[in-house]
Amino acid sequence: MVKKQSLIIISILTTAILTAGIILLLENVIKKERPVVKPMPEEKTEIKQPEEIIKAEKTEFFIEKETATIAESDFLPTTDWKKYQNKTYGFEVKYPKEWFVLENAYGGVAFSSSSSGNAYDFNENGKTVAYKNWARVTFTFEPKLKTQTLENWLKEKADPGGPGIDFAVQYIQLGDKKFLGTNQFIQNSQNNAYFEISKEKVLVIKFAQKSDVNQSDIFYTMIKTLIFVTDY
C-alpha cells in the first residue's frame, strides 16, 4: 500500500516537473519570436526666436560689379514709331505705332500692346481671353531723399517691409545712357530700369510680357529713345 502511494506521488511530481518544463520551453520560444520594439527617440522641436526667423528669410541686396552692355543689334528701327511727350513728367519717348498709351495708369504712364494694358481681356461671352504676344512698358516717378544715392534707395526698397523692387541689380550701358537695372538684365524677360533724374526723383521703367517671342528689344529701344525735356 505504501509502495503504491509512493509511486503515485512520484508520478504526480514527474508530471508537474514535465509540465513546468514544457511551460518554460514555450515561454522561451514565444520570447524569441516576439519582435523587439525599441522606444522612439524623443523628438526635439527647435523654437526659433522672431529675430532668427527674420534673419533667415531676409535676402541680401546685391549689386553686380560687371556692367552689362546692350548691343546695337538688339535695337529695333524706330522710323515708323510714334512719339509721346509728357510735360508733367518732362520726358519724351518713342513707342511702337500699334501700341496704346495709358496715362495715369499703374502709377504713371503705360505703353501696352493691348488697349486695356492687361495681358488678358474678356470676349463678348464674358470669357477670359489671353492676348497673343502681349507686352507693357510702364514709366513711374518715385521720390528719393537728397542724401540717398540710387543704390541706397534701391537697397531700402528691397529691404523687408519695403516695396521689394529688386534684390539684385547691375549697371547697364545702353547707347549713351547708363543706369541701374534688374540683374541679368539682358536674359530676363521682365525687367526694371532705374534712372536717378535728380537728387529727389527716380524714374522707374518696368517691362512685363506674356509672349511666345521675347520682346525685350522693344523695351531696350524705348529706353534708347528716351529724352528728358525738362530740367528737374
Side-chain angles (χ1 to χ4, degrees):
M1 183 70 179
V2 174
K3 186 176 180 181
K4 188 177 180 180
Q5 289 178 345
S6 299
L7 289 172
I8 292 172
I9 293 171
I10 292 170
S11 177
I12 292 171
L13 290 173
T14 303
T15 302
I17 292 170
L18 288 172
T19 302
I22 292 171
I23 291 172
L24 290 173
L25 180 63
L26 289 173
E27 286 182 350
N28 289 332
V29 171
I30 292 171
K31 285 182 180 180
K32 289 181 180 179
E33 292 180 352
R34 183 182 298 165
V36 178
V37 179
K38 295 183 179 180
M40 293 292 290
E42 183 180 351
E43 185 178 350
K44 294 183 180 180
T45 304
E46 183 182 356
I47 301 176
K48 291 186 177 182
Q49 298 300 318
E51 59 270 16
E52 292 178 336
I53 296 174
I54 293 172
K55 186 176 180 182
E57 292 178 349
K58 183 177 179 180
T59 302
E60 293 294 330
F61 179 72
F62 173 74
I63 298 180
E64 173 64 48
K65 294 181 180 180
E66 185 177 351
T67 299
T69 302
I70 309 297
E72 278 296 324
S73 58
D74 290 325
F75 299 125
L76 297 172
T78 61
T79 51
D80 62 344
W81 282 26
K82 293 182 179 180
K83 182 186 289 185
Y84 171 81
Q85 289 185 328
N86 189 301
K87 293 182 180 180
T88 302
Y89 293 116
F91 74 92
E92 69 177 40
V93 67
K94 288 185 175 182
Y95 64 97
K97 63 179 182 179
E98 303 87 2
W99 281 31
F100 300 87
V101 179
L102 305 170
E103 294 186 314
N104 302 316
Y106 306 98
V109 180
F111 303 85
S112 174
S113 60
S114 68
S115 58
S116 65
N118 299 319
Y120 299 91
D121 210 337
F122 298 96
N123 63 15
E124 56 186 10
N125 297 320
K127 293 184 178 180
T128 304
V129 178
Y131 287 107
K132 186 177 181 180
N133 298 334
W134 171 86
R136 184 182 67 218
V137 179
T138 308
F139 287 66
T140 59
F141 289 81
E142 299 195 25
K144 180 183 75 67
L145 297 176
K146 289 183 179 180
T147 54
Q148 283 182 312
T149 64
L150 182 58
E151 293 178 2
N152 288 336
W153 180 83
L154 277 169
K155 183 179 184 300
E156 185 176 300
K157 293 288 185 181
D159 280 340
I165 296 180
D166 272 312
F167 282 103
V169 295
Q170 67 180 139
Y171 279 99
I172 315 296
Q173 188 70 50
L174 192 156
D176 60 349
K177 298 178 178 67
K178 189 173 183 178
F179 56 93
L180 276 173
T182 306
N183 198 26
Q184 300 299 317
F185 191 83
I186 301 174
Q187 286 78 24
N188 281 342
S189 60
Q190 295 191 8
N191 288 310
N192 296 322
Y194 309 96
F195 288 85
E196 184 177 11
I197 58 176
S198 76
K199 291 183 178 181
E200 296 179 304
K201 283 188 179 180
V202 176
L203 167 61
V204 181
I205 308 177
K206 299 179 181 180
F207 173 66
Q209 68 173 338
K210 192 172 186 64
S211 173
D212 297 331
V213 181
N214 193 340
Q215 301 183 78
S216 299
D217 47 4
I218 296 176
F219 182 47
Y220 304 152
T221 306
M222 286 185 68
I223 294 177
K224 185 181 181 182
T225 66
L226 175 65
I227 299 174
F228 295 107
V229 296
T230 301
D231 294 329
Y232 289 84

